[in-house]
Amino acid sequence: MVSLEEYLADPCGSLSIPYWKAKQISVPPGMEIVHHSRFRGEMAEGRAHSRFFRLIHRLRDIPRPASPPGVVFGPVSPARAGELADVINRCYRHSGVRVTEEVRGWADLPVCRPELWLGAFADGALIGSVIGEFDPEAGEGVIEWLQVLPEYRGRGIAAELTARALEIMGGFAGFATVSGECENPTCPERVYRACGFEGDDVWHILR
């Protein structure tokens, strides 16, 4: 585990996950996490191999996309955890992600900031959401979950959710980070970079 000073000097290159989370969990047996600067192709031989990008935003010059017509943005309460779980599950079917009651539990985490739970609504129904977190020790905002239902993609909804979360984080965080699967067919990295995230750190997960 790196020190807080080491982490703050290079958040995305020193750890594959946010600092607060790295303090809480350990790498499971049989898993190896390697930064791209230390990765060699032979490490993946005979092992499951996935790649995750990690990007940083200094919370300056946050682009503000044009709001898509017919979509309303606003806070989404943890009381709507069932709806949030349904949207997340429908959006991440390609990766086998499935969440249930743990969504409600995210509101009890020490890094929870309710104002960073934002939703996109069409005719009153939740069609997308972003869940952000804030670690006061590191001064770090984190985009943890971002999802838009497949039938509503391509309208700028994900970018609007991200930009709104970043604007809120700018009021109390020193920087923000995000990570995601490099091979995700929905190309979330493109959305994050359009919103001002930057960097070239990639982490290899070997099992």
Side-chain angles (χ1 to χ4, degrees):
M1 177 67 187
V2 301
S3 68
L4 178 58
E5 291 73 20
E6 290 171 323
Y7 180 74
L8 292 177
D10 185 13
C12 297
S14 59
L15 286 174
S16 63
I17 55 178
Y19 182 76
W20 81 267
K21 190 177 292 187
K23 293 195 303 178
Q24 302 293 323
I25 64 176
S26 57
V27 178
M31 177 185 289
E32 188 177 5
I33 303 175
V34 183
H35 189 263
H36 70 86
S37 63
R38 301 185 298 274
F39 177 75
R40 302 185 307 277
E42 57 267 26
M43 291 179 173
E45 293 178 1
R47 308 170 79 178
H49 177 207
S50 53
R51 300 185 306 130
F52 288 79
F53 61 81
R54 193 146 192 256
L55 306 175
I56 191 167
H57 200 298
R58 295 299 179 181
L59 300 177
R60 297 185 294 268
D61 302 321
I62 300 169
R64 190 58 189 269
S67 294
V71 180
V72 176
F73 296 86
V76 57
S77 167
R80 302 181 72 163
E83 291 175 78
L84 280 166
D86 180 63
V87 170
I88 290 171
N89 292 336
R90 290 170 64 186
C91 292
Y92 286 89
R93 282 175 180 161
H94 65 277
S95 59
V97 168
R98 181 162 183 80
V99 295
T100 53
E101 284 302 311
E102 64 262 37
V103 175
R104 195 179 306 275
W106 295 342
D108 298 324
L109 292 172
V111 292
C112 177
R113 291 289 293 249
E115 64 268 43
L116 294 175
W117 289 44
L118 302 173
F121 304 87
D123 298 322
L126 185 68
I127 61 168
S129 61
V130 63
I131 296 177
E133 298 171 340
F134 174 63
D135 172 19
E137 182 180 9
E140 177 180 13
V142 182
I143 300 292
E144 188 63 37
W145 290 93
L146 173 68
Q147 49 280 318
V148 175
L149 291 178
E151 59 268 34
Y152 289 94
R153 291 173 187 162
R155 306 185 191 182
I157 297 172
E160 176 78 8
L161 285 166
T162 302
R164 285 172 177 258
L166 291 172
E167 285 182 351
I168 295 171
M169 288 178 183
F172 45 77
F175 65 100
T177 60
V178 70
S179 63
E181 189 178 12
C182 292
E183 280 73 37
N184 188 324
T186 64
C187 300
E189 184 177 358
R190 182 174 55 197
V191 173
Y192 297 133
R193 289 190 182 278
C195 289
F197 279 92
E198 57 188 6
D200 57 4
D201 290 288
V202 172
W203 290 84
H204 299 257
I205 313 298
L206 307 168
R207 297 178 177 86

